[in-house]
């Protein structure tokens, strides 16, 4: 198991044992999810020592917390990380549990250097400006030649500041705490948010026996079939990802009319904004795993956006009020990078890294980010590509630095 392999490694290196030259220091990778593991392997493949720092006790912690029925919306072949294919027995659409198994096997197969139970709270430049200082749990101060931040797209649950929510006495949970429909059988449930998570939880609740399922929608999403006649939606995403957004938006409209029914009569009109334009803003298309059918049959009722809570009821944007037995907020996540690197001026106004992959901020050379976008070509595919690019950039920096050594 990867966990025992990780714990068998020595404690995180003592920075005092390293020479001041950057090439003599390890590269620290913050986060033991797919992005961090892929980056660590790619660095090691280029002869660069990489140490993964994972705050939990096992790799793939966020994947272990996802709801039970989750399967990748990207194909097995295009979801593998560098250096290890996903087994064919996982099927085309890999389950959550198999993703976790794969990540464990990946860490073990590549004998990655992973230190668990270490949370990095702040990243700073070293006083001499030749590397990076990481402040971590237990008073650790670790010095690295470079840092790869891979703490994940789904880091900290986001719950809107709805008026009255703090006083709401009904059952309320974020989608990150949802596992399956069993606790909600026979109950009236409101799901807030129509991203992929909210859409799939709504379908899961219907299939799991909830007496009534309503889906609160603020902005109608683009809905695409996960696969049409064997052609995965991801393939289209890969083909068009470098085309101009206006062109993709224009091409997507007639295709959407052909592939998905008009749900306007059920409260889900076709979006006014284009598919790729919306995706660039962070709103990826919803891949249909049963939502279309459930909405058409009235098993999932679409209602207006939530504006607040009052007197035990949920207030909606159209002025109506409802009183479900439970509210599940599928309202996304925040990256929560401000404490870690916000002081370095490397985040945009929305708290996202200003660069990703092999590029480093001009004012923070040697600081890399991966996994903070959600591209239509597939998150895991792009993490794998980022890992290779980051490793190449770090190796080139190391080689350049070593060439300047005297003698």
């Amino acid at each position: 198991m990867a966990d025992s392999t990780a714990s068998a490694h020595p404690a995180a290196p003592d920075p005092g044992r390293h020479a001041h030259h950057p090439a003599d220091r390890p590269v620290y990778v913050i986060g033991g999810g797919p992005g961090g593991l892929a980056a660590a392997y790619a660095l090691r493949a280029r002869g660069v020592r990489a140490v993964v720092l994972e705050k939990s006790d096992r790799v793939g912690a966020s994947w272990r917390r996802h709801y039970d029925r989750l399967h990748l919306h990207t194909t097995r072949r295009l979801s593998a990380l560098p250096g290890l294919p996903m087994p064919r027995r996982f099927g085309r659409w890999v389950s959550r549990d198999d993703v976790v198994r794969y990540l464990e096997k990946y860490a073990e197969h590549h004998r990655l250097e992973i230190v668990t139970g270490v949370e990095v709270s702040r990243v700073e430049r070293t006083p001499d400006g030749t590397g990076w200082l990481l402040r971590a749990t237990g008073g650790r101060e670790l010095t690295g030649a470079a840092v790869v931040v891979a703490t994940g797209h789904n880091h900290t649950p986001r719950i809107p500041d709805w008026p009255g929510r703090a006083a709401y006495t009904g059952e309320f949970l974020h989608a990150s705490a949802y596992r399956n429909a069993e606790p909600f059988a026979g109950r009236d449930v409101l799901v807030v948010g129509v991203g992929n998570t909210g859409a799939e939880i709504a379908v899961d609740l219907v299939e799991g026996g909830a007496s009534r399922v309503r889906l609160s929608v603020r902005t109608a999403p683009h809905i695409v079939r996960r696969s049409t006649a064997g052609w995965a939606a991801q393939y289209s995403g890969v083909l068009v990802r470098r085309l101009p957004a206006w062109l993709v938006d224009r091409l997507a409209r007639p295709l959407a009319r052909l592939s998905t029914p008009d749900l306007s009569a059920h409260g889900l009109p076709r979006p006014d904004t284009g598919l790729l334009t919306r995706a660039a803003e962070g709103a990826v298309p919803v891949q249909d795993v049963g939502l279309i059918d459930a909405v058409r049959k009235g098993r999932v009722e679409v209602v207006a956006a939530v504006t607040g809570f009052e007197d035990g009821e949920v207030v909606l944007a159209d002025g109506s009020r409802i009183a479900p037995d439970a509210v599940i907020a599928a309202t996304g996540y925040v990256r929560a990078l401000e404490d870690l690197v916000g002081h370095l001026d490397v985040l945009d106004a929305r708290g996202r890294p200003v660069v990703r992959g092999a590029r480093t901020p001009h004012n923070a050379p040697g600081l890399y980010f991966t996994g903070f976008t959600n591209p239509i070509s597939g998150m895991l595919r792009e993490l794998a590509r980022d890992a290779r690019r980051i490793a190449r950039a770090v190796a080139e920096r190391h080689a350049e630095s070593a060439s300047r050594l005297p003698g």
Side-chain angles (χ1 to χ4, degrees), residues 8 15 27 42 68 78 113 134 140 182 187 200-201 212 224 284 295 297 315 374 383:
V27 173
D68 295 348
L78 294 185
E113 190 171 354
L134 287 69
R140 293 177 177 88
E182 184 177 352
R187 302 175 68 192
E200 190 157 1
I201 287 177
R212 186 176 189 180
V224 300
V284 297
V295 169
K297 292 180 178 179
V315 183
N374 196 9
L383 287 176

Side-chain angles (χ1 to χ4, degrees), residues 46-262:
R46 286 187 172 268
V48 178
R49 184 187 176 202
V51 179
V52 178
L53 304 176
E54 167 55 44
K55 69 177 181 179
S56 75
D57 61 350
R58 296 179 291 181
V59 299
S62 65
W63 281 92
R64 299 172 191 273
R65 296 192 296 268
H66 286 311
Y67 49 93
D68 295 348
R69 72 172 281 154
L70 177 67
H71 284 68
L72 293 180
H73 291 165
T74 54
T75 66
R76 170 180 53 82
R77 292 184 63 187
L78 294 185
S79 300
L81 303 179
L84 186 67
M86 285 189 172
R88 289 178 61 87
R89 69 177 182 275
F90 285 0
R92 193 182 196 197
W93 312 108
V94 183
S95 71
R96 176 204 64 185
D97 289 347
D98 281 337
V99 171
V100 171
R101 291 186 185 98
Y102 174 72
L103 296 177
E104 291 176 340
K105 181 64 177 179
Y106 192 87
E108 179 182 18
H109 177 79
H110 292 306
R111 298 187 60 81
L112 301 180
E113 190 171 354
I114 302 169
V115 184
T116 58
V118 175
E119 182 174 7
V120 179
S121 57
R122 188 175 175 89
V123 176
E124 303 171 353
R125 293 291 287 175
T126 55
D128 62 7
T130 63
W132 292 95
L133 176 67
L134 287 69
R135 301 189 185 278
T137 49
R140 293 177 177 88
E141 293 186 353
L142 310 174
T143 306
V147 174
V148 180
V149 180
T151 50
H153 191 267
N154 295 343
H155 187 275
T156 301
R158 173 187 174 272
I159 298 176
D161 188 20
W162 286 307
R165 195 197 68 81
Y168 180 65
T169 56
E171 183 174 3
F172 181 96
L173 65 152
H174 188 270
S176 59
Y178 178 89
R179 294 295 172 266
N180 56 58
E182 184 177 352
F184 305 96
R187 302 175 68 192
D188 180 342
V189 186
L190 172 68
V191 180
V192 185
V194 70
N196 278 293
T197 297
E200 190 157 1
I201 287 177
V203 172
D204 195 44
L205 289 165
V206 166
E207 295 177 354
S211 63
R212 186 176 189 180
V213 178
R214 284 174 283 200
L215 183 60
S216 172
V217 176
R218 179 169 57 87
T219 305
H222 287 274
I223 303 176
V224 300
R225 302 286 188 185
R226 185 169 66 174
S227 179
T228 303
W231 180 265
Q234 183 188 10
Y235 298 163
S236 298
V238 171
L239 290 175
V240 306
R241 63 184 299 271
R242 296 194 180 279
L243 294 177
W246 66 266
L247 178 58
V248 178
D249 292 348
R250 182 174 296 179
L251 293 172
R253 290 189 187 100
L255 291 175
R257 294 189 183 96
L258 289 172
S259 62
T260 57
D262 185 358

Side-chain angles (χ1 to χ4, degrees), residues 39 42-44 46 48 386-396:
L43 286 162
R44 179 171 173 172
R46 286 187 172 268
V48 178
D386 273 357
R388 295 187 183 98
R389 293 166 178 157
I390 290 170
R392 181 171 62 249
V394 171
E396 289 173 354

Side-chain angles (χ1 to χ4, degrees), residues 120-124 335-344 347:
V120 179
S121 57
R122 188 175 175 89
V123 176
E124 303 171 353
R335 314 300 159 248
L337 292 170
E338 287 78 8
D339 290 344
L340 186 68
V341 296
H343 55 285
L344 298 172
L347 304 177

Side-chain angles (χ1 to χ4, degrees), residues 267-282:
L268 278 180
R270 297 192 189 277
D272 296 328
T273 51
L275 185 147
L276 192 56
T277 296
R278 287 281 297 280
E281 297 170 351

Side-chain angles (χ1 to χ4, degrees), residues 298-317:
R299 301 179 73 191
V300 170
E301 305 168 47
V302 178
V303 299
V306 172
T307 59
F309 294 77
E310 188 174 329
D311 298 330
E313 296 180 316
V314 182
V315 183
L316 304 180

